[in-house]
Amino acid sequence: MHKLGLIGGIGWTSTARYYEIINKAVHRALGGQHSAPLLIESLNFASVAGCATEEEWDRAAGQLIDSARRLETAGAGALLICANSMHRVYDRVQGAVGIPIFHIAERVGKKMQEDGVEKAALIGTRNVMTEKFYRQRLVAHGVSLLPADMELAERIDRIVYDELTVGKISRESERYMKSELTDIAKQDVQAVVLACTELELIVDVKANVLPIYDCTSIHAKAGVDFILG
């Protein structure tokens, strides 16, 4: 098996989910006492959360680059950044190391293209829903996206940063997301892209009218494929 590096702690709840998905998949594939060979660099989320200015994004990029280099030096053959929003600085981090970093939106876009999905709604934090760094990767795979719903984006920001990243699961937030997904299903789309690694904690991805592309699971599977070679 090949050794995979995870840049996590952004936030820790979703990093734990990556760890669970990857290890369960490796065990299913190999059986016995097999588990995944992983290196995990867990960052202090407070130092990179809620970036709004270019100066703040520069600092976040610097921290991810340092993390990626440490993981490469420690023997990781490939990396995952365990957060959708931090892929805003993906190109800078990838350019700083000599091993591949699997881009979450690339993996999701490829899966949607394989499934023939052409129209979708993108759901995530504000920067993921509104900025081009994520949307363009999906569009490049032939996926047309609904315009960003700013009210929804702001509410998801509050849910993610005030609740999910600190391990708080709110029934009110669960009901809100279920209602929003029901409304989205009434629009001219074939699927929903759940582009926030924490939202899976309050959204049942298997119990909705529309197919939901859970970016956490798809991204983690890319890591599993690398580990198993």
Side-chain angles (χ1 to χ4, degrees):
M1 290 189 285
H2 303 291
K3 188 173 290 186
L4 177 69
L6 304 180
I7 301 177
I10 39 182
W12 68 262
T13 51
S14 58
T15 307
R17 182 67 179 134
Y18 271 87
Y19 185 82
E20 178 184 21
I21 293 170
I22 292 170
N23 274 290
K24 284 184 174 180
V26 168
H27 181 262
R28 282 195 302 270
L30 301 178
Q33 300 300 315
H34 287 290
S35 58
L38 295 171
L39 294 171
I40 303 174
E41 173 97 1
S42 191
L43 303 179
N44 177 10
F45 189 41
S47 64
V48 296
C51 294
T53 67
E54 286 305 315
E55 183 180 356
E56 289 170 340
W57 279 113
D58 285 343
R59 285 199 299 269
Q63 291 194 45
L64 265 68
I65 286 169
D66 289 345
S67 176
R69 286 173 171 164
R70 285 191 292 267
L71 289 167
E72 181 180 26
T73 299
L79 302 175
L80 300 182
I81 299 172
C82 301
N84 287 273
S85 59
M86 288 296 128
H87 281 73
R88 188 182 192 272
V89 296
Y90 168 87
D91 290 336
R92 293 162 68 177
V93 183
Q94 177 63 90
V97 293
I99 57 177
I101 304 175
F102 303 136
H103 195 293
I104 191 167
E106 285 287 344
R107 297 292 165 156
V108 175
K110 181 179 179 182
K111 180 70 169 65
M112 296 175 78
Q113 189 173 42
E114 290 170 353
D115 293 346
V117 175
E118 297 179 349
K119 295 182 179 180
L122 176 63
I123 303 299
T125 53
R126 184 173 59 251
N127 79 314
V128 169
M129 286 181 67
T130 62
E131 296 184 33
K132 64 182 181 180
F133 77 93
Y134 203 100
R135 299 178 71 90
Q136 284 184 346
R137 299 267 181 171
L138 298 179
V139 171
H141 286 86
V143 182
S144 175
L145 298 170
L146 290 181
D149 181 334
M150 291 307 301
E151 183 179 345
L152 174 59
E154 295 291 344
R155 180 66 181 270
I156 289 176
D157 263 23
R158 293 196 296 273
I159 291 171
V160 170
Y161 295 119
D162 296 345
E163 299 173 15
L164 300 181
T165 55
V166 295
K168 179 182 176 182
I169 306 298
S170 162
R171 289 281 185 166
E172 180 185 353
S173 295
E174 286 180 342
R175 288 193 294 268
Y176 174 78
M177 290 305 303
K178 186 173 183 179
S179 174
E180 287 297 313
L181 289 167
T182 299
D183 289 343
I184 289 171
K186 298 173 184 176
Q187 302 188 55
D188 183 23
V189 291
Q190 298 166 276
V192 173
V193 179
L194 199 66
C196 174
T197 51
E198 286 85 11
L199 281 180
E200 188 202 29
L201 298 171
I202 59 170
V203 173
D204 187 344
V205 298
K206 297 179 180 178
N208 284 275
V209 177
L210 284 175
I212 292 184
Y213 283 79
D214 174 22
C215 296
T216 305
S217 297
I218 295 169
H219 199 210
K221 184 181 182 301
V224 172
D225 291 343
F226 170 78
I227 289 170
L228 298 176

